[in-house]
C-alpha cells in the first residue's frame, strides 16, 4: 500500500494532497440532504390556490358569452346596463366595507378616529371620480369602437379573440390575487383582455350595446381583481363563495350560447381546480433534489454591507 492511501484526505481544494482530483472517501456523503428546499404540498390547499385561476378562466368565458349573445342580437341592452350599474354599486360597497373592516380589525371602536373617516371618504371620492372617467370615456368611444374592424373578416376576429383571451389567462398576475404584491402589474394580460373585448365589441349592432358590454368587460377584467384580492384576504369562506358564484354565473352565460361551450368550460374548471392539484401533489413524491457541502456558494444572498472581499 503506497503512502497516498495512508494519509488522511481533507475536503479542501486549496490544499495540495496526494490524491486524484476526483477522489472521495467514505465520509463524503454523510452530509447529503435530500429535498431540503422542497415545500411539501397537500391536495386541498393547492385546490384552494387553484380557484384563482378558475376565477380568471370563468371571467374570460363569461365575457365572451355575453359578447356572443350581443352579436347574435339576443341581449337586451337595458338589462345589460342595469347589470353594469348593479356590479359597480355592489363592488364599490363591498370594497368600502372590506376596507373599513380592515381598519376596525386593528383598532377598537373608540380608537377609530376622524382621520380614518377622512381617509375613507377621500378614497370614496377618488374611486367615484375614476368611475365617472371610466364610464364617460367608454361612452364617448363606443361609436368608434363599433366600426373599428369593418374590413376584417369574422374568422380572423374569432382567432384573435381566442388567442388574446388565452394570453390574458396565461400572463395574468396571479401573485396579486395571492397578496404577494401590492400592485397589479399584469399589463400584458390586461392589454390582451381589452384588445379581445374591443374586437368583439366591433361586431355588435348598436353603439349603446357596445358601451354596456365594454363597461361590463372592464368591470370584470380591470376592477374585479382588487375586490377579489380583498375578499380573499378577509375570509376563506367568502373567497370560496365568490369563486363558486363567478364560475356558476359564467357557465350560465355560456349555456345561453352553446351547450358545447358550457361543457368545455366545466371540463376546463374541473381540470384546473381538481385534477392539476392532484397531479402536482402526486408527482412531488418522485421529486429528488440533493444538497450537500459540494453546492456552490450563494453569494447573491449575502448582504452587501456584510460582504468583505
Amino acid at each position: 500500500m503506497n503512502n497516498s492511501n495512508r494519509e488522511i484526505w481533507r475536503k479542501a481544494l486549496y490544499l495540495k494532497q496526494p490524491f486524484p482530483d476526483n477522489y472521495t472517501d467514505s465520509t463524503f456523503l454523510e452530509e447529503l440532504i435530500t429535498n431540503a428546499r422542497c415545500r411539501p404540498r397537500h391536495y386541498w390547499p393547492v385546490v384552494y390556490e387553484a380557484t384563482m385561476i378558475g376565477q380568471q378562466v370563468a371571467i374570460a368565458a363569461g365575457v365572451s358569452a355575453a359578447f356572443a349573445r350581443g352579436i347574435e342580437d339576443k341581449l337586451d341592452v337595458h338589462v345589460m346596463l342595469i347589470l353594469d350599474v348593479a356590479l359597480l354599486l355592489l363592488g364599490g360597497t363591498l370594497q368600502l366595507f372590506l376596507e373599513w373592516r380592515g381598519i376596525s380589525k386593528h383598532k377598537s371602536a373608540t380608537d377609530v378616529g376622524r382621520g380614518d373617516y377622512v381617509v375613507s371618504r377621500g378614497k370614496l371620492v377618488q374611486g367615484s371620480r375614476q368611475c365617472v372617467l371610466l364610464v364617460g370615456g367608454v361612452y364617448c368611444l363606443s361609436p368608434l369602437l363599433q366600426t373599428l374592424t369593418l374590413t376584417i373578416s369574422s374568422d380572423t376576429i374569432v382567432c384573435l379573440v381566442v388567442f388574446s383571451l388565452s394570453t390574458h389567462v396565461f400572463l395574468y398576475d396571479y401573485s396579486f390575487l395571492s397578496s404577494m404584491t401590492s400592485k397589479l402589474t399584469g399589463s400584458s394580460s390586461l392589454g390582451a383582455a381589452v384588445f379581445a373585448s374591443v374586437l368583439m365589441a366591433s361586431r355588435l349592432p348598436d353603439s349603446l350595446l357596445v358601451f354596456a358590454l365594454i363597461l361590463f368587460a372592464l368591470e370584470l377584467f380591470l376592477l374585479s381583481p382588487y375586490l377579489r384580492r380583498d375578499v380573499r384576504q378577509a375570509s376563506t369562506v367568502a373567497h370560496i363563495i365568490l369563486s363558486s358564484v363567478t364560475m356558476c354565473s359564467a357557465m350560465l352565460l355560456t349555456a345561453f350560447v352553446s351547450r358545447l361551450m358550457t361543457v368545455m368550460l366545466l371540463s376546463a374548471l374541473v381540470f384546473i381546480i381538481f385534477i392539476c392539484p392532484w397531479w402536482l401533489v402526486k408527482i412531488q413524491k418522485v421529486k429528488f433534489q440533493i444538497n450537500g457541502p459540494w453546492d456552490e456558494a450563494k453569494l447573491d444572498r449575502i448582504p452587501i454591507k456584510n460582504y468583505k472581499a
Side-chain angles (χ1 to χ4, degrees), residues 111-145:
D111 293 334
V112 177
R114 180 178 177 82
D116 297 318
Y117 287 102
V118 172
V119 171
S120 298
R121 189 177 66 178
K123 289 186 177 180
L124 177 61
V125 172
Q126 182 183 4
S128 301
R129 186 187 303 116
Q130 292 174 346
C131 180
V132 170
L133 291 175
L134 176 65
V135 173
V138 173
Y139 183 79
C140 294
L141 292 174
S142 296
L144 174 63
L145 298 177

Side-chain angles (χ1 to χ4, degrees), residues 39-47 277 281 284:
R39 186 180 65 179
R41 300 182 185 273
H42 304 283
Y43 179 71
W44 288 112
V46 178
V47 168
V281 172
Q284 190 185 27

